[in-house]
Amino acid sequence: MIVSTALTQQLERAEQRLGIFFRLGITPVQRLWAGVGLVAISDADDGDVTYRGFGELMNVPAVTQLVNGVADRVDFIISGVSRVAMETAAIESDLVKGATVDLGLGFFDQQLAFAGMIWLYQGEADVLTTSLDASSGSTTRSIKLSVGSAMTGRRRSRQTVFSDFDQQSSSPGDRICERIRRYSQGVNIEWPRY
């Protein structure tokens, strides 16, 4: 990770002015930040881009990086959206599946000018759902985006051992695995840990 001089100076300060930035890699790319107004950023990957404020973010999900553990899944929820936004999300939910989701921490200087960004989490969008809550007398519309890490998908091939039966089902007549049963007697198979 390359950290700019302005960001290094900002990190050395005792008082931090932070913003949470969210990027959804669909067409067009959706860029939001937990604040009010627009924030212009010059990004090495995207060039000059603008993040749109979506107000105060009440609840940021805990995100972790996978290190010899269970694959992580987080849910991003935006409440109080308009009826049009909710209908659009319901119609276009298929466009979101598989898109990259980035979550970053942005830093502002004393004059609230953008100083730099550290990207903390990258995941893959999975399911976009909408909900309507009318229990408290007023109607609250919410959009929920479920995001998983690269390890939560089922694209990886399952772990297996070679057997003559498996080899014959994929390549009939192939004799390369016919003696495997003799080699594996009395051996415990240990799966690698990722």
Side-chain angles (χ1 to χ4, degrees), residues 35 102 114 119 124 129 137-139 154 164 172:
D102 300 305
F114 186 76
W119 291 105
E124 185 176 300
T129 58
S138 64
T139 303
R154 300 197 181 266
D164 189 44

Side-chain angles (χ1 to χ4, degrees), residues 125-161:
D126 189 20
V127 179
L128 181 69
T129 58
T130 59
S131 64
L132 185 65
D133 181 20
S135 62
S136 62
S138 64
T139 303
T140 304
R141 297 174 189 91
S142 299
I143 299 174
K144 179 170 121 178
L145 177 63
S146 180
V147 179
S149 66
M151 302 302 277
T152 57
R154 300 197 181 266
R155 293 184 308 262
R156 298 178 62 201
S157 60
R158 64 184 181 115
Q159 295 176 335
T160 184
V161 294

Side-chain angles (χ1 to χ4, degrees), residues 34-188:
V36 179
L38 302 175
V39 176
I41 296 175
S42 181
D43 190 22
D45 296 330
D46 294 336
D48 294 334
V49 296
T50 302
Y51 281 77
R52 187 179 47 206
F54 63 93
E56 184 179 358
L57 187 61
M58 301 300 287
N59 207 349
V60 178
V63 293
T64 58
Q65 295 296 328
L66 178 68
V67 180
N68 289 335
V70 178
D72 193 25
R73 178 168 296 284
V74 295
D75 293 326
F76 294 94
I77 302 171
I78 301 176
S79 294
V81 297
S82 68
R83 180 181 53 80
V84 174
M86 189 168 157
E87 290 172 356
T88 303
I91 293 169
E92 298 182 358
S93 62
D94 291 340
L95 299 176
V96 173
K97 190 167 183 71
T100 59
V101 174
D102 300 305
L103 188 67
L105 195 58
F107 295 86
F108 298 91
D109 64 13
Q110 288 295 97
Q111 290 75 33
L112 297 178
F114 186 76
M117 171 95 67
I118 296 175
W119 291 105
L120 301 173
Y121 176 82
Q122 184 175 46
E124 185 176 300
D126 189 20
V127 179
L128 181 69
T129 58
T130 59
S131 64
L132 185 65
D133 181 20
S135 62
S136 62
S138 64
T139 303
T140 304
R141 297 174 189 91
S142 299
I143 299 174
K144 179 170 121 178
L145 177 63
S146 180
V147 179
S149 66
M151 302 302 277
T152 57
R154 300 197 181 266
R155 293 184 308 262
R156 298 178 62 201
S157 60
R158 64 184 181 115
Q159 295 176 335
T160 184
V161 294
F162 292 108
S163 71
D164 189 44
F165 178 77
D166 292 333
Q167 185 65 21
Q168 292 301 318
S169 66
S170 63
S171 301
D174 191 353
R175 298 179 56 199
I176 194 165
C177 293
E178 68 182 8
R179 297 177 66 96
I180 290 287
R181 191 175 41 220
R182 292 184 181 181
Y183 299 139
S184 63
Q185 290 178 348
V187 175
N188 290 333

